[in-house]
Amino acid sequence: MANHPLIQVKNLDLHFGSFHALKNVSVDFHAGELVGLVGDNGAGKTTLIRVLCGIHTPNSGEVYFDGERVTRFHPSLAINQGIETIQQSVGLCDNLSIARNFYLGREPVRRIMGIPFLDFKTMRKTSTEVIREFGLRDNVSTDDEVGRLSGGERQSVKIGRAVEFKNRVVIMDEPTNHLSVREREHVNELAVQLKQQGLLVIYITHDIFQVHKLADRIVIMENGEKVADAKTSEMTADALEDVIRQGGRLVEKREAA
Ligand SMILES: Nc1ncnc2c1ncn2[C@@H]1O[C@H](COP(=O)(O)OP(=O)(O)OP(=O)(O)O)[C@@H](O)[C@H]1O
Ligand SMILES: [Mg+2]
């Protein structure tokens, strides 16, 4: 079998009315890779990710998973392709326990005389194991409501869930916003851990210096265009920041060379 990229984006264009949000974007993502997706506010990072998750349908261009072309953009795409998106503020229900959040929509069921009951014992046991592994301290129980968790602890729940349910792509959209320095480091360590387990991690941030330390590759977007795509081993964070400042001129120089 040919060695296809896990996700391949080809010449993607997307308009919101008269606004051109994605302009001829082509990019490949591979399993076991941590890719930093960087760019200013409104550059099109989240929009690109939403296309991959089936939330937006592009006006033209193609998306392939494992070499197979996506023909229908629908939110089920993310589930079918095993994509979990981790954002700072959404994705968990504050008034439910950690265990319930862990299984949201995938609750194990136990039958007593044919009547289905939620299997709380399994939910508690598995979620505790996974969440401890992802750094939740002993003072937190999976029976606790998510509402009491710190930002970093919430991220641990989402990341643990992504791994347990065999997702193969984890998209982290500004996952460390409003986190303390220590929590930020923890989330970043988890991102590296996911990649080491063979998942594709797409890490969206404004902080090129932070992500350069973690990522194998950095993709920079600006005004809906991809303006750079470089291995971190081949380009320093300073050089990449210059690309952002100069609106992508460096790419043209490299291509011309
Ligand atoms: N549903 C929508 N309808 C109309 N315009 C939209 C929609 N979604 C995004 N946009 C516009 O598309 C542009 C790109 O937005 P996007 O959210 O992709 O930026 P971003 O790179 O993620 O920025 P940030 O770093 O601020 O999150 C913005 O100008 C935004 O206002
Ligand atoms: Mg965004």
Side-chain angles (χ1 to χ4, degrees):
M1 201 184 81
N3 191 15
H4 295 293
L6 176 43
I7 307 176
Q8 187 170 29
V9 172
K10 271 192 192 168
N11 309 111
L12 216 59
D13 267 276
L14 184 105
H15 297 261
F16 291 118
S18 61
F19 180 72
H20 202 171
L22 293 177
K23 300 170 187 163
N24 197 29
V25 175
S26 297
V27 59
D28 291 351
F29 298 104
H30 298 266
E33 205 182 19
L34 199 166
V35 182
L37 182 55
V38 186
D40 277 340
N41 295 108
K45 306 180 295 293
T46 300
T47 304
L48 173 62
I49 289 319
R50 287 197 176 139
V51 172
L52 303 183
C53 292
I55 297 166
H56 296 315
T57 302
N59 295 95
S60 62
E62 295 131 48
V63 175
Y64 298 81
F65 284 90
D66 298 316
E68 212 168 292
R69 187 174 172 181
V70 176
T71 50
R72 184 168 161 263
F73 289 85
H74 181 269
S76 60
L77 188 62
I79 297 164
N80 295 341
Q81 295 296 342
I83 303 177
E84 171 95 14
T85 307
I86 293 171
Q87 284 160 292
Q88 170 61 19
S89 52
V90 295
L92 297 175
C93 297
D94 273 1
N95 58 339
L96 293 179
S97 70
I98 296 176
R100 288 296 303 274
N101 267 285
F102 197 80
Y103 281 95
L104 221 52
R106 294 177 268 221
E107 288 84 354
V109 167
R110 186 165 68 97
R111 286 180 186 275
I112 300 174
M113 297 198 299
I115 302 164
F117 290 92
L118 288 185
D119 187 350
F120 285 108
K121 206 171 143 198
T122 300
M123 284 172 29
R124 211 172 275 136
K125 183 170 174 290
T126 308
S127 60
T128 301
E129 281 166 14
V130 175
I131 286 163
R132 292 273 178 264
E133 190 185 321
F134 281 91
L136 237 66
R137 288 189 300 273
D138 289 341
N139 66 323
V140 181
S141 144
T142 50
D143 290 331
D144 291 338
E145 285 187 4
V146 154
R148 63 156 277 194
L149 295 183
S150 76
E153 288 167 343
R154 284 159 180 267
Q155 299 305 63
S156 300
V157 172
K158 289 185 247 177
I159 291 167
R161 190 170 66 179
V163 172
E164 180 62 18
F165 292 104
K166 306 280 178 275
N167 284 310
R168 47 186 201 150
V169 183
V170 175
I171 297 170
M172 304 173 105
D173 197 346
E174 312 265 0
T176 61
N177 276 4
H178 316 299
L179 294 189
S180 68
V181 174
R182 206 174 52 81
E183 286 184 324
R184 212 179 295 160
E185 279 170 6
H186 177 63
V187 168
N188 289 345
E189 279 163 22
L190 293 182
V192 172
Q193 217 171 308
L194 293 177
K195 155 203 143 140
Q196 285 166 348
Q197 296 187 12
L199 279 79
L200 161 64
V201 182
I202 303 177
Y203 191 118
I204 301 179
T205 175
H206 289 185
D207 189 343
I208 196 156
F209 290 92
Q210 191 194 7
V211 78
H212 192 276
K213 291 187 205 129
L214 310 173
D216 303 297
R217 192 153 63 89
I218 305 267
V219 172
I220 302 179
M221 292 193 62
E222 180 148 320
N223 293 324
E225 276 181 274
K226 183 177 96 171
V227 296
D229 187 339
K231 287 188 179 155
T232 49
S233 57
E234 290 169 2
M235 247 175 124
T236 63
D238 283 305
L240 285 163
E241 204 199 20
D242 284 345
V243 178
I244 298 178
R245 282 218 207 89
Q246 296 162 13
R249 282 214 304 271
L250 206 76
V251 167
E252 286 158 30
K253 255 195 279 174
R254 288 177 85 216
E255 280 173 356

